[in-house]
Amino acid sequence: MEKVSRFLSIILLITFAIGCKKAENSEPNPDFLNSKDSMVTTAQIKKALTEKGFEIFDYVDPKTGDTILMQQYFIAFLKKGPVRSQNKEEADSLQTLHLNHLTRMYELGYADISGPFGDDGEIRGITIYNTPSLAIADSLAHLDPMVQSGRLRIEIHPWWAAKGFPLR
């Protein structure tokens, strides 16, 4: 029960920090290609993404007639690593550093979403990286103190998603 309570506290803290950061940066930021801003056209977003090296394509939704812009992201699966012998104090410290790393990736615009899985399986969580290449996403993922310590290891896959569609 203590683990569940601690886990929920961490999730609430991350959610609060992300919410505060979003509120703090509420004005449009062209660097992050805010497609919800009605003043930004799909053509402008496509041009900016292409100039920054992102892989994209678009198609017309037959139901709505809307142009759907797809972008390649990279999902990092955080898996159990070979070194899991840290004592509680070391593991707690690594967890704090890990959360700091993920928060920084989010704040810098490199990661769009991160989170742990709710079971005790091999895959511990995911981070979706918003970078132009697998090499950049891989480098950023390997900066994670949990990965550097060997407690976690990374497996990354390209993933396509439509720009501007929220999770529901």
Side-chain angles (χ1 to χ4, degrees):
M1 188 65 175
E2 183 182 332
K3 273 186 162 181
V4 172
S5 177
R6 184 168 168 223
F7 171 75
L8 290 175
S9 296
I10 290 170
I11 295 301
L12 286 173
L13 179 64
I14 291 171
T15 303
F16 177 75
I18 289 171
C20 289
K21 189 64 179 176
K22 281 185 180 177
E24 180 183 308
N25 293 326
S26 59
E27 57 187 321
N29 182 345
D31 289 337
F32 294 104
L33 305 166
N34 186 355
S35 63
K36 293 178 184 168
D37 180 356
S38 62
M39 302 302 289
V40 178
T41 67
T42 300
Q44 289 170 320
I45 296 169
K46 286 173 62 173
K47 182 177 187 277
L49 286 170
T50 302
E51 286 173 354
K52 292 181 180 198
F54 287 90
E55 295 288 328
I56 61 168
F57 72 88
D58 61 29
Y59 68 94
V60 176
D61 183 323
K63 282 186 178 177
T64 65
D66 293 335
T67 298
I68 308 298
L69 179 61
M70 300 292 290
Q71 177 187 329
Q72 185 179 56
Y73 295 84
F74 299 93
I75 293 186
F77 290 90
L78 289 82
K79 297 176 143 187
K80 285 183 181 177
V83 182
R84 299 196 59 83
S85 59
Q86 296 88 355
N87 64 36
K88 182 177 177 358
E89 185 178 311
E90 291 169 325
D92 288 348
S93 175
L94 283 171
Q95 181 67 13
T96 298
L97 294 170
H98 167 69
L99 294 175
N100 290 343
H101 168 75
L102 293 175
T103 299
R104 182 164 165 73
M105 293 296 97
Y106 180 82
E107 289 172 348
L108 292 172
Y110 295 126
D112 282 344
I113 194 165
S114 294
F117 286 111
D119 59 12
D120 193 29
E122 181 70 18
I123 302 173
R124 307 302 297 147
I126 62 166
T127 296
I128 300 175
Y129 284 92
N130 184 0
T131 63
S133 71
L134 176 71
I136 295 170
D138 187 67
S139 292
L140 294 171
H142 279 88
L143 291 175
D144 186 329
M146 282 281 214
V147 176
Q148 291 181 344
S149 74
R151 189 164 178 85
L152 293 176
R153 61 186 175 89
I154 296 292
E155 179 181 311
I156 298 183
H157 296 273
W159 178 68
W160 290 90
K163 294 292 287 177
F165 284 72
L167 293 173
R168 346 178 206 174

